[in-house]
Amino acid sequence: MDRELQVALHGADETVAAQVRRLAELAGTELVVVPAGEEAAAALVLTEVGEPGRLRVRMDPARLATMPDGAAAPAVVVLPGEAEVLLDLMVAVGARHRAHTVGVVGAHGGAGASVLAATLARAAAGAGSATAVVDMDPAGGGLDVLLGVEHDPGQRWADLGSETGAILPQRLALALPEWHLVRVLSGDRRGGAPLDRVARSAVRALGQGHDVVVLDLPRQVLAAGPARDLWLRWCADVVLLGRSGVRGGA
């Protein structure tokens, strides 16, 4: 069997296979059901063991690199109760590419980091790349106001706070407001970017569904702490913006 296969289900009955097919369709992953007794080779192999719906998990470790939150694949998932866990794994192995992620952070307030982040995102979109820009400030909105899309329909960070399972790349992209072909994820008066699983899942989903993702980073990433540990590891490039002159370079 082709090693490029994303998900293989091995030795499951038809009821369980139907549940797994529905999850694969949601995640946008390829699924092959392999009869009992045949070998199954794929990025994610699920083998029914014991009672119906109990699936042993074998996942290509390289695919966990698309989940920079330190997550590890569980040894077993049980359907239907752990369907969201399995959906998370399918989204991870279904990533056809990771975006080139650029972080922009100001060394101090008023440095113009948000303007630069928006400019980079618009330039990438203008060059034909599927692009998203993300306001990572935990304090609340700002980027959508700067771009003039604060009244446009679409989801903000607070709307994603109720997500308990995988955030699907295509679904998220279509739910966000758009500015000059750039998808915008921002906070609003209800709150900004959370420092938790929801934010990790959202940025991961945008990275799977876009060519370029620009993160407008908060200044907290400049100091040791969870924000720095979490967000800088996503970035292929980081731009630190400050004022010119003696004070700006101090």
Side-chain angles (χ1 to χ4, degrees):
M1 186 174 293
D2 191 345
R3 187 62 183 86
E4 293 299 316
L5 181 64
Q6 292 175 346
V7 183
L9 176 62
H10 188 257
D13 66 26
E14 186 52 40
T15 300
V16 173
Q19 295 179 62
V20 177
R21 283 193 192 96
R22 285 194 293 271
L23 293 173
E25 289 172 1
L26 282 173
T29 55
E30 300 167 339
L31 171 70
V32 169
V33 178
V34 182
E38 293 188 13
E39 289 296 320
L44 176 63
V45 178
L46 307 169
T47 304
E48 192 167 54
V49 291
E51 69 269 19
R54 183 179 176 85
L55 303 174
R56 185 173 64 233
V57 175
R58 188 175 80 239
M59 186 171 181
D60 181 354
R63 297 305 182 102
L64 288 174
T66 67
M67 304 172 69
D69 51 7
V76 174
V77 294
V78 181
L79 298 179
E82 295 181 314
E84 290 180 348
V85 175
L86 182 53
L87 185 60
D88 260 329
L89 296 175
M90 287 182 169
V91 169
V93 301
R96 297 185 183 278
H97 70 277
R98 275 290 303 278
H100 187 91
T101 302
V102 179
V104 181
V105 58
H108 43 72
S114 295
V115 173
L116 179 59
T119 301
L120 292 175
R122 184 172 179 179
S129 296
T131 305
V133 62
V134 187
D135 187 349
M136 300 306 305
D137 190 343
L143 184 61
D144 60 345
V145 176
L146 174 69
L147 303 181
V149 298
E150 69 271 25
H151 299 301
D152 289 5
Q155 291 192 332
R156 270 65 175 181
W157 277 119
D159 300 306
L160 299 180
S162 60
E163 298 284 349
T164 57
I167 296 178
L168 305 180
Q170 185 176 15
R171 184 177 295 178
L172 176 59
L174 293 175
L176 297 178
E178 186 178 286
W179 172 77
H180 294 288
L181 302 179
V182 177
R183 297 290 180 178
V184 180
L185 177 54
S186 178
D188 57 16
R189 67 182 64 185
R190 296 171 295 168
L195 192 64
D196 62 10
R197 179 187 177 283
V198 170
R200 294 193 298 267
S201 294
V203 173
R204 183 187 70 189
L206 291 172
Q208 290 174 333
H210 294 80
D211 303 313
V212 177
V213 174
V214 182
L215 302 182
D216 183 9
L217 296 168
R219 289 197 302 280
Q220 288 95 315
V221 301
L222 299 178
R228 179 175 184 170
D229 295 340
L230 177 59
W231 298 124
L232 289 188
R233 76 174 70 180
W234 284 95
C235 300
D237 298 294
V238 177
V239 180
L240 176 62
L241 196 61
R243 296 192 186 97
S244 61
V246 175
R247 288 188 178 181

